[in-house]
Amino acid sequence: MIPSILPTYNRAPLNFVKGEGSWLIEEDGRRYLDLGAGIAVNCLGHAAPPLVDALAEQAGQLWHTSNLYGIPKQQALADKLVANTFADTVFFTNSGTESCELAVKMARKYFHDKGQPERVDIITFAGSFHGRSSAGIAAAGSEKMTHGFGPLLPGFVHLPFADHDAIAPAITDTTAAILVEPVQGEGGINVLPDVCLKGLRDLCDEHGLLLIFDEVQCGVGRTGKLFAHEWSGIAPDIMMVAKGIGGGFPLGCVLATEDAASGMTAGTHGSTYGGNPLGCAVGCKVMDIVSDRDFLADVGRKAGLFRQKLEGLVASHPEVFEEVRGAGLMLGLKCVVPNTEVVAAGLAEQVLTVGAGDNVVRLLPALNIPDGDILEAISRLDAAASALKGGGDAAV
Ligand SMILES: *Cc1c(COP(=O)(O)O)cnc(C)c1O
């Protein structure tokens, strides 16, 4: 008999009822150190007091009015995003894949309105992930996500990851945009080097294409800059955001330059919940905290500490781990043994990690994880790795 919840998830047999910072707690009081943060969502940890206060205050005033009326907190959040990024304008969604939907529509409408309606194709890369909507799965194009769901939304051209020489020959009269994650998350924490991002910007400029970044996972402070592409010194025309921007409240957005957004006039797109007062109240607080220079510098410092300790862990357990990869607090352990075994061994040590493609285990802790919890994480991962190889040397 089908379960009462549609069985699309492979869940771990854990049921958390409370969260505190980097810890998740089961009904019986068992505590787990959370290095997944709800898949890079709870950027300030669980039940972060400033976010609880922002949400509670808004909840006592107004929950929802729809976009038929002005929403002051939405305006405030848009202004903060515009002030802190390349963007001139923002549309609010409730999730990453909804941001993908608009990014695709915006790119096509741009060329339609410029009198080039044949330019509809968007170039994407192997290992990418853009969510589970019809546009999202067609954009990523992997068999695992698209099998059985045809006919797929047309207009996506899939290229190998980080093969710059393959891109220019793939650009034709019908190409509209290039869509890429500056750091691939689901694909296995693959960092696109700055020189590649610059190369993509140059190609787009040369051919009059729009450059779209998916920073749903790597954005909002995760790499130690507010957005990951800032390290490269170049900017996209359109950017998808979600996950961390709501700190745990469902919130996403699409950022764009005035030019890229020029086709999106009144009536061309909409969302009932997008930019609702509750989400935007929390989003404003997240932005206030995460866009602060000292906060971001501390993310970089914590990332340095974590990475150094992880390098030691890998060196002590070469039978389990191959390498550390990633940027900032978006880290991956490339595994020798199946990554599912590493995640399971972590559960036994009460430390939560997240599997990813390419046999990688993801570590995406809260951006404000205390240093002591980083050291605790290393000691639990060390115990997990030792258990996997049936005992062994301690890493720390
Ligand atoms: C999670 C993710 C998405 C999809 O976000 P949802 O909120 O699950 O729809 C899109 N792109 C990237 C890079 C992601 O990590």
Side-chain angles (χ1 to χ4, degrees):
M1 198 173 71
I2 193 165
S4 58
I5 295 175
L6 191 73
T8 62
Y9 299 109
N10 284 315
R11 298 175 198 268
L14 298 170
N15 292 279
F16 297 112
V17 293
K18 191 171 161 52
E20 289 170 4
S22 292
W23 296 84
L24 280 169
I25 303 154
E26 285 196 292
E27 192 115 60
D28 64 4
R30 280 162 66 96
R31 295 169 66 87
Y32 286 74
L33 181 49
D34 183 10
L35 302 181
I39 318 182
V41 166
N42 303 101
C43 57
L44 299 176
H46 298 285
L51 302 190
V52 172
D53 291 348
L55 183 61
E57 191 188 330
Q58 186 61 46
Q61 290 171 2
L62 185 64
W63 290 26
H64 176 81
T65 55
S66 87
N67 286 296
L68 293 172
Y69 314 103
I71 300 175
K73 288 270 162 46
Q74 184 184 125
Q75 182 66 56
L77 181 53
D79 291 344
K80 288 177 200 291
L81 286 162
V82 166
N84 283 282
T85 67
F86 73 95
D88 302 312
T89 189
V90 185
F91 181 92
F92 289 98
T93 67
N94 309 284
S95 67
T97 208
E98 283 171 78
S99 295
C100 180
E101 295 290 322
L102 173 56
V104 169
K105 286 177 70 176
M106 186 182 282
R108 290 182 175 170
K109 187 67 159 46
Y110 175 85
F111 287 106
H112 172 273
D113 287 13
K114 299 260 165 184
Q116 298 178 285
E118 69 285 355
R119 290 178 85 163
V120 297
D121 292 336
I122 298 177
I123 292 175
T124 64
F125 299 93
S128 63
F129 182 77
H130 304 296
R132 298 299 196 121
S133 62
S134 291
I137 62 173
S142 81
E143 172 74 8
K144 196 178 128 207
M145 284 188 288
T146 57
H147 182 76
F149 294 114
L152 297 178
L153 183 68
F156 294 96
V157 175
H158 304 106
L159 297 183
F161 178 74
D163 179 0
H164 194 76
D165 296 338
I167 303 172
I171 296 173
T172 70
D173 294 347
T174 61
T175 310
I178 296 175
L179 164 59
V180 69
E181 292 161 81
V183 183
Q184 283 189 347
E186 303 299 314
I189 312 291
N190 300 308
V191 181
L192 208 59
D194 290 348
V195 52
C196 293
L197 291 179
K198 287 190 188 124
L200 290 177
R201 181 71 269 175
D202 289 344
L203 269 179
C204 286
D205 291 346
E206 196 181 318
H207 296 272
L209 309 179
L210 296 172
L211 182 58
I212 308 172
F213 286 160
D214 180 345
E215 292 225 18
V216 169
Q217 195 160 149
C218 63
V220 195
R222 182 75 20 212
T223 67
K225 295 269 190 196
L226 185 55
F227 290 100
H229 70 266
E230 293 171 27
W231 291 105
S232 71
I234 59 99
D237 302 292
I238 299 171
M239 181 166 70
M240 297 153 50
V241 176
K243 293 200 167 96
I245 188 68
F249 196 94
L251 176 66
C253 55
V254 175
L255 276 59
T257 64
E258 182 167 13
D259 184 43
S262 57
M264 303 306 297
T265 51
T268 55
H269 197 61
S271 167
T272 299
Y273 285 129
N276 67 80
L278 294 171
C280 289
V282 179
C284 279
K285 189 53 80 176
V286 168
M287 271 297 288
D288 287 346
I289 294 170
V290 173
S291 64
D292 179 73
R293 279 176 57 144
D294 293 341
F295 180 90
L296 290 169
D298 210 39
V299 172
R301 188 191 58 75
K302 288 177 190 296
L305 170 67
F306 202 2
R307 187 160 190 141
Q308 182 208 336
K309 297 287 176 190
L310 288 170
E311 298 284 2
L313 179 78
V314 169
S316 313
H317 300 283
E319 314 83 343
V320 178
F321 302 119
E322 190 179 314
E323 64 163 1
V324 185
R325 50 168 79 161
L329 285 175
M330 185 168 182
L331 292 162
L333 289 168
K334 167 88 172 163
C335 299
V336 178
V337 301
N339 61 352
T340 48
E341 289 182 16
V342 175
V343 172
L347 292 186
E349 299 297 331
Q350 291 173 233
V351 59
L352 305 175
T353 59
V354 185
D358 203 23
N359 205 32
V360 162
V361 168
R362 267 179 289 179
L363 311 172
L364 311 157
L367 303 180
N368 59 358
I369 181 173
D371 291 3
D373 287 350
I374 292 177
L375 301 180
E376 181 63 27
I378 293 294
S379 107
R380 290 183 186 217
L381 291 170
D382 182 48
S386 296
L388 273 177
K389 67 180 175 191
D393 315 326
V396 284

